[in-house]
Amino acid sequence: MINVADLISESSLPGNYFAPDAYVQGDFESGLIENRQGRRLLALPDTLLKGLYRGLASEVGPAAGMVLYNCGCKWGKNFFRRFSEEVSNYYQKPVEQMEMIELIQCLKQCWKAHGWGIIEPNFSYYQQGFLVVKVKHSAFASTVESAEKPSCYVEAGLLSAFFSELSGTNLHCIQTSCESLGASSNQFILGLATRLKPAEAMVEERKSHSAIMQSLCQER
Amino acid sequence: MITDIDSLLYQAEAEYLSHQDLANFKSQIFSLEKRLQIYETIRAKETEIFQNVANQLSSNFSQEPEKIRRALKHWLTILRYCGMAMLSENPLYLKHRILEWLPEQIKAHQMQDLEQNLFSLLQKRLKRILNSEQFSILQPYLEQAEAALLR
């Protein structure tokens, strides 16, 4: 027989750590925002981001994408560390011991609480060695100007580092569709760099996400 | 409700509250007292409520003790959040803190049947613990949870 008193005393019963009204705390007088652990959050205006992108493009030209991707990777590593710490503390178990569905739910809520969009990882291609991530209302796409191909390099780098840290394997990330080009969502494919190599040319050729996915899975 | 009282407090900075405002304030305080009583009852009888539900669930789903434990944990949490949402009259609190959090986990574990059964048993138990007026105050929050998690 299940003893409810034991059940209550032996387990913590937490809800959504990243509920926006609890996670983001602000102080109007000081103009500061911080998360529920008291760590500072930074709000970046669109104008500043657009200025940074333009400045970088004029300084390094076509290499700007690579620079931003690497920035995203570096940020992603730190982000994963902070995310793991906060989630482990709140749910009182290491990230490695959390169920995947619970962890992914944390990531989705975290993404939303930070205002980065609605993220939806898709593990259907796990057996083929790929992870697909879809992001709607991406904050990263909203600052891209006059792009000719998917250009959310920071977001791609962030995803690459996050899932590399999570899986313990170096995963590359390629964006295959972009809201800044009129697509309904940003889509990304993550996998080993060697397996993703053919996708780079296909993105340049403006092939659709589904066509790229089909081609990658056939090449196995 | 907290927001309503807040707005009256701000209003009182500029002038004495009108009769109508004071009547509104009294009504809010009276309502808060009732809600506090409901909250205290649920809190005090949490174990009793859920032990009864657990016993019945164990006979209905005897092959799945782990799933029952998981579902009980879900609803222990949900009822706690429903209680606070009811106390503060804040459905958004319930939505953000738990109803955007649990549905996919329930779906992934394929527990809808069990959780639906648990919800029915929980409602029956709450109707016995609370009087009809008290239950009607809590009910919208239970229904909000049911709509988000089980439909």
Side-chain angles (χ1 to χ4, degrees):
Chain A
M1 194 182 94
I2 295 169
N3 186 317
V4 169
D6 288 347
L7 199 62
I8 294 171
S9 64
E10 79 194 21
S11 48
S12 63
L13 303 165
N16 179 13
Y17 173 71
F18 293 102
D21 59 329
Y23 188 73
V24 181
Q25 308 286 336
D27 179 19
F28 284 117
E29 287 189 12
S30 63
L32 298 177
I33 49 172
E34 54 187 29
N35 69 17
R36 61 192 294 176
Q37 289 203 334
R39 291 180 175 168
R40 287 278 298 277
L41 295 171
L42 186 61
L44 299 175
D46 280 3
T47 317
L48 172 64
L49 287 172
K50 284 177 183 168
L52 285 173
Y53 289 160
R54 278 187 211 163
L56 195 61
S58 96
E59 286 293 326
V60 298
M66 181 56 72
V67 172
L68 289 170
Y69 183 87
N70 287 331
C71 288
C73 284
K74 194 163 184 180
W75 179 21
K77 278 186 185 174
N78 289 322
F79 169 64
F80 180 81
R81 181 178 48 74
R82 288 195 303 272
F83 172 86
S84 306
E85 270 175 28
E86 289 184 33
V87 166
S88 310
N89 285 339
Y90 187 71
Y91 294 101
Q92 295 177 16
K93 55 186 165 188
V95 164
E96 307 82 57
Q97 286 178 21
M98 289 180 83
E99 289 182 17
M100 187 50 86
I101 181 73
E102 204 178 356
L103 187 66
I104 293 303
Q105 195 61 14
C106 282
L107 175 65
K108 288 163 78 168
Q109 293 296 327
C110 176
W111 214 264
K112 194 164 76 171
H114 283 92
W116 297 340
I118 308 294
I119 189 170
E120 190 65 57
N122 173 358
F123 294 93
S124 308
Y125 297 95
Y126 174 76
Q127 293 296 335
Q128 284 84 19
F130 299 111
L131 166 66
V132 172
V133 176
K134 184 188 277 191
V135 182
K136 285 193 170 186
H137 310 296
S138 168
F140 300 90
S142 66
T143 48
V144 172
E145 292 176 307
S146 60
E148 289 171 2
K149 59 177 184 176
S151 302
C152 299
Y153 301 106
V154 176
E155 193 174 24
L158 182 57
L159 289 169
S160 158
F162 184 89
F163 284 102
S164 294
E165 294 290 318
L166 183 64
S167 63
T169 309
N170 271 334
L171 298 175
H172 190 54
C173 178
I174 283 191
Q175 187 181 8
T176 52
S177 72
C178 190
E179 287 178 333
S180 70
L181 298 173
S184 61
S185 64
N186 281 0
Q187 294 191 88
F188 301 87
I189 307 172
L190 289 102
L192 295 174
T194 48
R195 298 276 321 274
L196 279 182
K197 191 75 186 158
E200 288 174 10
M202 288 187 265
V203 171
E204 294 286 342
E205 291 163 19
R206 301 290 299 271
K207 288 197 173 170
S208 70
H209 170 80
S210 52
I212 296 172
M213 237 14 261
Q214 196 176 5
S215 177
L216 286 177
C217 291
Q218 279 169 355
E219 281 186 27
R220 197 182 182 192
Chain B
M1 178 174 63
I2 301 297
T3 315
D4 288 345
I5 293 177
D6 274 348
S7 67
L8 287 173
L9 290 175
Y10 282 120
Q11 203 177 321
E13 286 180 359
E15 59 190 7
Y16 279 110
L17 296 178
S18 68
H19 279 299
Q20 196 178 348
D21 288 336
L22 273 176
N24 183 15
F25 193 86
K26 279 180 191 167
S27 144
Q28 298 288 353
I29 299 296
F30 183 62
S31 164
L32 181 59
E33 196 179 348
K34 282 186 190 171
R35 289 165 197 280
L36 265 171
Q37 278 175 0
I38 300 169
Y39 189 84
E40 283 173 346
T41 306
I42 297 172
R43 190 189 64 165
K45 298 195 173 175
E46 181 189 40
T47 308
E48 183 192 326
I49 293 168
F50 278 95
Q51 190 60 62
N52 185 285
V53 170
N55 295 347
Q56 291 190 59
L57 267 186
S58 297
S59 61
N60 295 354
F61 296 87
S62 56
Q63 305 301 313
E64 302 178 293
E66 264 320 300
K67 280 194 172 181
I68 293 175
R69 288 169 68 84
R70 188 188 293 276
L72 283 168
K73 281 192 207 173
H74 286 163
W75 284 92
L76 280 161
T77 314
I78 294 162
L79 185 59
R80 185 154 48 84
Y81 280 94
C82 279
M84 183 44 79
M86 180 269 309
L87 188 58
S88 54
E89 269 196 308
N90 186 358
L92 278 179
Y93 172 87
L94 183 61
K95 177 174 181 256
H96 291 315
R97 301 293 173 100
I98 201 76
L99 303 184
E100 289 180 351
W101 172 245
L102 276 181
E104 290 191 28
Q105 295 181 49
I106 292 176
K107 200 172 161 191
H109 289 112
Q110 300 181 328
M111 291 170 58
Q112 279 98 331
D113 284 352
L114 197 153
E115 304 244 1
Q116 185 69 60
N117 199 279
L118 193 159
F119 178 71
S120 305
L121 294 169
L122 177 63
Q123 271 197 314
K124 278 183 198 162
R125 198 65 204 157
L126 286 168
K127 279 180 185 167
R128 295 186 67 166
I129 299 275
L130 303 171
N131 65 38
S132 60
E133 188 197 6
Q134 289 178 319
F135 184 77
S136 70
I137 292 173
L138 180 65
Q139 195 174 20
Y141 302 93
L142 294 172
E143 285 174 353
Q144 188 188 348
E146 184 196 17
L149 300 170
L150 303 175
R151 283 184 201 154

